[in-house]
Amino acid sequence: MKLANFLRAIVFAVAAAFLIFNQDHTVTTGTQVLQFAATGLAFGGLVLFKLDKSEDKKLSIVYPSAIATLVVFLTIIFTQQLRKHI
């Protein structure tokens, strides 16, 4: 559980620092930060899920958050691809 909170803190701190110190405040920048956060949380959650040795993995917070962020990441990617074709 501590590793999951540590992972989230790092991902959100990097995303916040990027938004604070970036001069470009367009929608594209916000989408890039959302993609970074979703990707970081998804892959980090999957790594933590793999490293977890306990039997109650499905009840831990790592497994549901990894699936949810992976879905968000894929949704963002597919909506950007659709915008390019329209």
Side-chain angles (χ1 to χ4, degrees):
M1 185 68 176
K2 287 183 183 181
L3 286 176
N5 289 335
F6 187 65
L7 170 74
R8 280 191 216 114
I10 289 174
V11 169
F12 290 135
V14 170
F18 180 77
L19 279 176
I20 289 170
F21 296 112
N22 191 3
Q23 296 296 319
D24 183 24
H25 295 291
T26 61
V27 174
T28 306
T29 304
T31 305
Q32 288 173 347
V33 171
L34 283 175
Q35 284 179 339
F36 166 75
T39 306
L41 291 176
F43 288 124
L46 292 175
V47 168
L48 290 177
F49 178 72
K50 183 70 173 169
L51 292 177
D52 191 16
K53 302 290 185 207
S54 66
E55 293 296 322
D56 59 343
K57 287 184 184 180
K58 291 182 181 177
L59 299 178
S60 70
I61 197 164
V62 175
Y63 189 60
S65 68
I67 290 174
T69 53
L70 195 58
V71 167
V72 168
F73 170 70
L74 291 174
T75 304
I76 290 172
I77 291 294
F78 288 133
T79 54
Q80 279 192 347
Q81 294 296 325
L82 286 174
R83 278 191 225 146
K84 288 180 185 178
H85 292 293
I86 294 177

